[in-house]
Amino acid sequence: MKPMDQVLETAEKIRSMEVRGAGRIATAAAASLRDFSMTLEVKSLDEFNAELENAANLLLKTRPTAVSLSNAIRMVRKYKAEDVDGARQAVVLNANNFIENSQKAVEKIGQIGSRRIRDGDTVLTHCNSQAAISVISAAHSSGKKIKVIATESRPRFQGITTIGMLEKLGIETELIVDSAARSVMNEVDLVVVGADVITANGTLVNKIGTAQIALCAREARTSFMVAAETYKFSPKTILGELVTIEEREPMEVLPDISKYRHVKVRNPAFDVTPHQYIDLICTEAGAISPEMSYLIIRERLGWDMDEEV
Ligand code: RI2
């Protein structure tokens, strides 16, 4: 397989959501750039850099909301090299470090976040988040008896992946339709969700339906926690940039639209939860209030205000 074909194949898997979840798509993109750089045949460093940029752009276009993708790609491409071999080695090292750190971050988030779950608690989660499941699984492994309520997460039903994972872990789980969130909220002690993006002021962008859950959690006085690796924070939001919300194909919602002449199906993949509705963001760097997001971006992502936008 030609080096660029491998990148195109990974990009298609991410676009079609065969590979999904903000963390998984970031590590898949890092691995793809690593493998691309290892097999790339070029005559000069300039050519290597240009080819790597083309590959990076192909991956970046796949899921427009996920900042995990652009952060991963930025970290992999952060190198200064004298020649092609030096650049190749740096890309491989950066990608492997990113993948390893990402796995460690998910574990650490589990350890930290699970302290917020008490024995006997009922936890509600939405969609399928590695980071949120790490929190739930760490609480369960530490011997706490917990119950999980998982939403289906229309239209792609990632909740079915979640209940499959919880089943394997032996955790008592109930599956609900998304619109049952308010009906069960009075039985819930803590909501734990993942993140696709967290902005500089602590606003959360996550799977469609999250904002409604946060709203009813607040009304029911139920705590709402976000589990997110620090590379889910968006540096560009410091510079005032707004997060693009991905709108996916209508057929994910209604496979046969052809018989409707006056109906348009809308399929936004994510929604926006204001920071006031979030009690805590649990990262590998610690549990923080949403208002501390700016510091995470400056300190953990090493974002410099003069960096190119
Ligand atoms: P982890 C997913 O997006 C969900 O919105 C989930 O909350 C988020 O990524 C984070 O997932 P999608 O790819 O990185 O299903 O915690 O659209 O696994």
Side-chain angles (χ1 to χ4, degrees):
M1 192 190 280
K2 286 188 195 146
M4 199 55 97
D5 289 348
Q6 174 274 116
V7 177
L8 282 166
E9 195 179 282
T10 305
E12 182 48 28
K13 282 185 182 162
I14 296 174
R15 196 204 57 75
S16 66
M17 293 177 69
E18 186 182 329
V19 175
R20 55 143 297 280
R24 285 199 179 88
I25 62 179
T27 52
S32 176
L33 285 185
R34 175 195 63 201
D35 298 347
F36 175 74
S37 78
M38 275 169 25
T39 48
L40 189 61
E41 285 174 23
V42 285
K43 293 192 179 67
S44 69
L45 182 58
D46 283 349
E47 198 187 336
F48 178 90
N49 292 339
E51 288 286 334
L52 195 68
E53 185 169 355
N54 289 339
N57 287 338
L58 276 175
L59 292 163
L60 275 173
K61 275 194 283 190
T62 55
R63 302 286 313 266
T65 302
V67 72
S68 55
L69 259 184
S70 56
N71 277 337
I73 289 170
R74 189 166 56 88
M75 289 178 200
V76 170
R77 292 182 63 205
K78 210 166 194 168
Y79 61 85
K80 282 199 177 80
E82 304 274 307
D83 52 25
V84 175
D85 275 350
R88 226 190 277 281
Q89 277 171 24
V91 169
V92 171
L93 186 72
N94 287 349
N96 286 340
N97 281 343
F98 178 81
I99 295 165
E100 196 188 324
N101 289 338
S102 164
Q103 283 155 358
K104 283 188 187 155
V106 170
E107 272 169 44
K108 186 94 187 169
I109 288 167
Q111 287 160 14
I112 298 174
S114 63
R115 297 205 175 104
R116 292 293 177 126
I117 300 181
R118 297 159 306 182
D119 192 28
D121 272 358
T122 296
V123 179
L124 184 142
T125 192
H126 183 52
C127 196
N128 175 255
S129 153
Q130 275 187 291
I133 290 194
S134 177
V135 170
I136 293 166
S137 140
H140 172 72
S141 331
S142 71
K144 291 173 191 164
K145 174 132 183 52
I146 56 170
K147 182 172 90 178
V148 176
I149 301 180
T151 56
E152 276 182 318
S153 313
R154 282 266 299 152
R156 296 294 296 246
F157 296 100
Q158 289 97 327
I160 305 301
T161 306
T162 295
I163 62 167
M165 292 166 87
L166 296 171
E167 166 71 25
K168 276 198 189 128
L169 292 166
I171 298 175
E172 188 191 336
T173 303
E174 290 174 358
L175 176 70
I176 57 166
V177 295
D178 299 327
S179 43
R182 184 63 190 94
S183 296
V184 301
M185 195 53 83
N186 288 351
E187 303 162 28
V188 176
D189 299 288
L190 177 71
V191 175
V192 184
V193 296
D196 287 271
V197 185
I198 297 169
T199 71
N201 74 350
T203 299
L204 168 70
V205 178
N206 193 48
K207 182 55 55 197
I208 194 79
T210 303
Q212 284 179 177
I213 293 172
L215 190 63
C216 68
R218 187 178 173 91
E219 195 242 338
R221 297 179 185 273
T222 301
S223 298
F224 186 94
M225 185 210 282
V226 180
E229 303 89 319
T230 48
Y231 63 80
K232 309 277 179 65
F233 289 71
S234 168
K236 289 181 181 176
T237 57
I238 284 192
L239 302 165
E241 192 166 294
L242 294 172
V243 177
T244 306
I245 302 292
E246 175 184 0
E247 287 241 9
R248 294 186 61 85
E249 284 160 23
M251 64 153 311
E252 288 187 340
V253 177
L254 189 66
D256 184 14
I257 181 95
S258 61
K259 59 181 173 209
Y260 300 94
R261 287 178 44 229
H262 307 290
V263 177
K264 178 182 170 194
V265 174
R266 297 192 56 192
N267 185 16
F270 304 103
D271 63 20
V272 178
T273 301
H275 62 93
Q276 296 91 333
Y277 292 18
I278 301 167
D279 293 291
L280 193 72
I281 303 178
C282 190
T283 77
E284 74 275 20
I288 61 162
S289 66
E291 290 75 15
M292 277 177 69
S293 299
Y294 173 84
L295 285 178
I296 291 281
I297 296 170
R298 292 302 298 271
E299 286 171 15
R300 297 287 297 198
L301 295 173
W303 187 261
D304 176 344
M305 291 298 281
D306 297 328
E307 201 157 329
E308 204 181 313
V309 184

Short mmCIF file of all heavy atoms in Angstrom, two decimals, residues 17 20-25 63 126-132 158 193-196 206-207 227 229 232 246 269-270, ligand 1:
data_model
loop_
_atom_site.label_atom_id
_atom_site.label_comp_id
_atom_site.label_asym_id
_atom_site.label_seq_id
_atom_site.Cartn_x
_atom_site.Cartn_y
_atom_site.Cartn_z
N MET A 17 -16.91 7.00 11.03
CA MET A 17 -17.03 6.65 12.44
C MET A 17 -16.81 5.17 12.71
O MET A 17 -17.21 4.65 13.74
CB MET A 17 -18.37 7.14 13.03
CG MET A 17 -18.45 8.65 13.08
SD MET A 17 -20.02 9.31 13.68
CE MET A 17 -20.00 8.85 15.40
N ARG A 20 -14.11 5.81 16.17
CA ARG A 20 -14.78 6.98 16.72
C ARG A 20 -14.42 7.17 18.19
O ARG A 20 -13.80 6.30 18.81
CB ARG A 20 -16.30 6.86 16.54
CG ARG A 20 -16.92 5.61 17.10
CD ARG A 20 -18.26 5.87 17.70
NE ARG A 20 -18.17 6.76 18.82
CZ ARG A 20 -17.81 6.41 20.04
NH1 ARG A 20 -17.48 5.17 20.32
NH2 ARG A 20 -17.76 7.29 21.03
N GLY A 21 -14.86 8.32 18.73
CA GLY A 21 -14.50 8.71 20.10
C GLY A 21 -13.32 9.67 19.96
O GLY A 21 -12.33 9.34 19.29
N ALA A 22 -13.44 10.83 20.62
CA ALA A 22 -12.43 11.88 20.41
C ALA A 22 -11.01 11.40 20.70
O ALA A 22 -10.07 11.76 19.99
CB ALA A 22 -12.79 13.07 21.30
N GLY A 23 -10.85 10.58 21.74
CA GLY A 23 -9.50 10.07 22.06
C GLY A 23 -9.01 9.08 21.02
O GLY A 23 -7.86 9.16 20.56
N ARG A 24 -9.88 8.18 20.63
CA ARG A 24 -9.46 7.14 19.66
C ARG A 24 -9.12 7.74 18.30
O ARG A 24 -8.18 7.28 17.66
CB ARG A 24 -10.57 6.09 19.50
CG ARG A 24 -10.65 5.16 20.69
CD ARG A 24 -11.40 3.87 20.32
NE ARG A 24 -11.45 2.99 21.48
CZ ARG A 24 -12.39 3.02 22.41
NH1 ARG A 24 -13.37 3.89 22.30
NH2 ARG A 24 -12.36 2.20 23.43
N ILE A 25 -9.87 8.74 17.87
CA ILE A 25 -9.55 9.31 16.55
C ILE A 25 -8.21 10.07 16.62
O ILE A 25 -7.46 10.06 15.65
CB ILE A 25 -10.69 10.19 15.95
CG1 ILE A 25 -11.02 11.41 16.81
CG2 ILE A 25 -11.93 9.38 15.71
CD1 ILE A 25 -12.11 12.29 16.20
N ARG A 63 -13.32 15.04 10.88
CA ARG A 63 -14.31 15.36 11.93
C ARG A 63 -14.03 16.79 12.36
O ARG A 63 -13.15 17.04 13.18
CB ARG A 63 -14.16 14.41 13.15
CG ARG A 63 -14.29 12.92 12.91
CD ARG A 63 -15.69 12.41 12.65
NE ARG A 63 -16.77 12.83 13.50
CZ ARG A 63 -17.22 12.18 14.58
NH1 ARG A 63 -16.63 11.08 14.96
NH2 ARG A 63 -18.25 12.62 15.26
N HIS A 126 -23.61 9.30 28.95
CA HIS A 126 -24.20 9.52 27.63
C HIS A 126 -23.16 9.17 26.58
O HIS A 126 -21.97 9.41 26.77
CB HIS A 126 -24.59 11.00 27.53
CG HIS A 126 -25.27 11.39 26.25
ND1 HIS A 126 -26.37 10.72 25.77
CD2 HIS A 126 -25.01 12.39 25.36
CE1 HIS A 126 -26.77 11.30 24.63
NE2 HIS A 126 -25.95 12.31 24.37
N CYS A 127 -23.61 8.61 25.48
CA CYS A 127 -22.73 8.24 24.36
C CYS A 127 -21.73 7.17 24.82
O CYS A 127 -22.03 6.35 25.70
CB CYS A 127 -22.04 9.48 23.79
SG CYS A 127 -21.33 9.18 22.15
N ASN A 128 -20.54 7.18 24.23
CA ASN A 128 -19.52 6.21 24.63
C ASN A 128 -18.21 6.96 24.72
O ASN A 128 -17.65 7.38 23.70
CB ASN A 128 -19.44 5.08 23.59
CG ASN A 128 -18.30 4.13 23.91
OD1 ASN A 128 -17.27 4.15 23.26
ND2 ASN A 128 -18.48 3.31 24.91
N SER A 129 -17.76 7.12 25.96
CA SER A 129 -16.52 7.85 26.19
C SER A 129 -15.55 6.96 26.96
O SER A 129 -15.88 6.48 28.04
CB SER A 129 -16.82 9.13 26.97
OG SER A 129 -15.69 9.52 27.71
N GLN A 130 -14.35 6.79 26.40
CA GLN A 130 -13.30 6.02 27.07
C GLN A 130 -13.00 6.62 28.44
O GLN A 130 -12.80 5.90 29.40
CB GLN A 130 -11.99 6.15 26.28
CG GLN A 130 -11.79 5.20 25.14
CD GLN A 130 -10.37 5.39 24.62
OE1 GLN A 130 -10.04 6.42 24.04
NE2 GLN A 130 -9.53 4.42 24.85
N ALA A 131 -12.92 7.97 28.47
CA ALA A 131 -12.55 8.66 29.71
C ALA A 131 -13.64 8.49 30.77
O ALA A 131 -13.35 8.20 31.94
CB ALA A 131 -12.30 10.13 29.44
N ALA A 132 -14.91 8.62 30.36
CA ALA A 132 -16.02 8.46 31.33
C ALA A 132 -16.08 7.01 31.81
O ALA A 132 -16.28 6.75 33.01
CB ALA A 132 -17.34 8.87 30.69
N GLN A 158 -24.20 4.92 20.15
CA GLN A 158 -22.95 4.59 20.86
C GLN A 158 -23.23 4.02 22.25
O GLN A 158 -22.37 3.38 22.84
CB GLN A 158 -22.07 5.84 21.01
CG GLN A 158 -21.45 6.33 19.71
CD GLN A 158 -22.27 7.45 19.08
OE1 GLN A 158 -23.49 7.48 19.20
NE2 GLN A 158 -21.61 8.36 18.41
N VAL A 193 -19.76 12.38 31.74
CA VAL A 193 -19.69 12.32 30.27
C VAL A 193 -18.26 12.65 29.82
O VAL A 193 -17.47 13.20 30.59
CB VAL A 193 -20.67 13.31 29.59
CG1 VAL A 193 -22.11 12.97 29.88
CG2 VAL A 193 -20.37 14.76 29.99
N GLY A 194 -17.97 12.31 28.58
CA GLY A 194 -16.68 12.66 28.00
C GLY A 194 -16.75 14.04 27.37
O GLY A 194 -17.69 14.81 27.61
N ALA A 195 -15.75 14.36 26.55
CA ALA A 195 -15.72 15.67 25.89
C ALA A 195 -15.12 15.55 24.51
O ALA A 195 -14.17 14.79 24.29
CB ALA A 195 -14.88 16.64 26.70
N ASP A 196 -15.70 16.28 23.59
CA ASP A 196 -15.06 16.43 22.28
C ASP A 196 -14.21 17.68 22.27
O ASP A 196 -13.12 17.68 21.73
CB ASP A 196 -16.12 16.43 21.18
CG ASP A 196 -16.67 15.03 20.99
OD1 ASP A 196 -16.12 14.28 20.19
OD2 ASP A 196 -17.62 14.66 21.71
N ASN A 206 -19.96 18.37 23.39
CA ASN A 206 -19.97 16.89 23.47
C ASN A 206 -21.17 16.36 22.69
O ASN A 206 -21.98 17.13 22.15
CB ASN A 206 -20.01 16.46 24.94
CG ASN A 206 -19.71 14.98 25.11
OD1 ASN A 206 -18.76 14.46 24.54
ND2 ASN A 206 -20.54 14.28 25.86
N LYS A 207 -21.28 15.05 22.65
CA LYS A 207 -22.30 14.38 21.85
C LYS A 207 -23.68 15.01 22.00
O LYS A 207 -24.10 15.34 23.11
CB LYS A 207 -22.34 12.90 22.26
CG LYS A 207 -23.31 12.03 21.50
CD LYS A 207 -23.13 12.09 20.01
CE LYS A 207 -21.73 11.77 19.56
NZ LYS A 207 -21.42 12.19 18.17
N ALA A 227 -15.23 14.05 31.99
CA ALA A 227 -13.94 13.35 32.04
C ALA A 227 -13.23 13.62 30.71
O ALA A 227 -13.74 13.25 29.65
CB ALA A 227 -14.17 11.86 32.24
N GLU A 229 -9.20 14.20 28.70
CA GLU A 229 -7.76 14.39 28.62
C GLU A 229 -7.50 15.86 28.27
O GLU A 229 -8.32 16.52 27.62
CB GLU A 229 -7.15 13.51 27.51
CG GLU A 229 -7.43 12.01 27.65
CD GLU A 229 -8.73 11.60 26.96
OE1 GLU A 229 -9.73 12.35 27.05
OE2 GLU A 229 -8.74 10.53 26.34
N LYS A 232 -8.19 17.59 24.92
CA LYS A 232 -9.56 17.90 24.45
C LYS A 232 -9.86 19.39 24.62
O LYS A 232 -10.93 19.86 24.27
CB LYS A 232 -10.59 17.09 25.25
CG LYS A 232 -10.34 15.59 25.33
CD LYS A 232 -10.84 14.87 24.14
CE LYS A 232 -10.60 13.38 24.17
NZ LYS A 232 -11.29 12.64 25.21
N GLU A 246 -20.13 19.85 13.93
CA GLU A 246 -20.27 18.96 12.78
C GLU A 246 -21.74 18.59 12.55
O GLU A 246 -22.43 18.20 13.47
CB GLU A 246 -19.45 17.68 13.06
CG GLU A 246 -19.57 16.60 12.02
CD GLU A 246 -18.81 15.33 12.43
OE1 GLU A 246 -18.19 15.28 13.52
OE2 GLU A 246 -18.86 14.37 11.65
N ALA A 269 -24.03 16.73 15.27
CA ALA A 269 -23.44 15.61 16.04
C ALA A 269 -23.12 15.99 17.48
O ALA A 269 -22.98 15.12 18.33
CB ALA A 269 -22.17 15.13 15.34
N PHE A 270 -23.02 17.30 17.74
CA PHE A 270 -22.60 17.75 19.08
C PHE A 270 -23.45 18.92 19.54
O PHE A 270 -24.08 19.60 18.71
CB PHE A 270 -21.12 18.19 19.04
CG PHE A 270 -20.21 17.12 18.52
CD1 PHE A 270 -19.71 17.18 17.23
CD2 PHE A 270 -19.87 16.03 19.31
CE1 PHE A 270 -18.89 16.17 16.73
CE2 PHE A 270 -19.06 15.02 18.83
CZ PHE A 270 -18.57 15.09 17.54
P1 RI2 B 1 -13.56 9.68 24.51
C1 RI2 B 1 -17.46 10.98 21.18
O1 RI2 B 1 -17.71 11.51 19.92
C2 RI2 B 1 -18.52 11.32 22.20
O2 RI2 B 1 -19.07 12.61 22.02
C3 RI2 B 1 -17.72 11.21 23.47
O3 RI2 B 1 -18.32 11.85 24.56
C4 RI2 B 1 -16.42 11.87 23.05
O4 RI2 B 1 -16.21 11.44 21.70
C5 RI2 B 1 -15.22 11.59 23.89
O5 RI2 B 1 -14.89 10.23 23.85
P2 RI2 B 1 -18.09 10.59 18.62
O6 RI2 B 1 -16.76 10.20 17.96
O7 RI2 B 1 -12.40 10.38 23.87
O8 RI2 B 1 -18.89 9.39 19.05
O9 RI2 B 1 -13.63 9.95 25.99
O10 RI2 B 1 -18.86 11.53 17.73
O11 RI2 B 1 -13.56 8.19 24.19
#
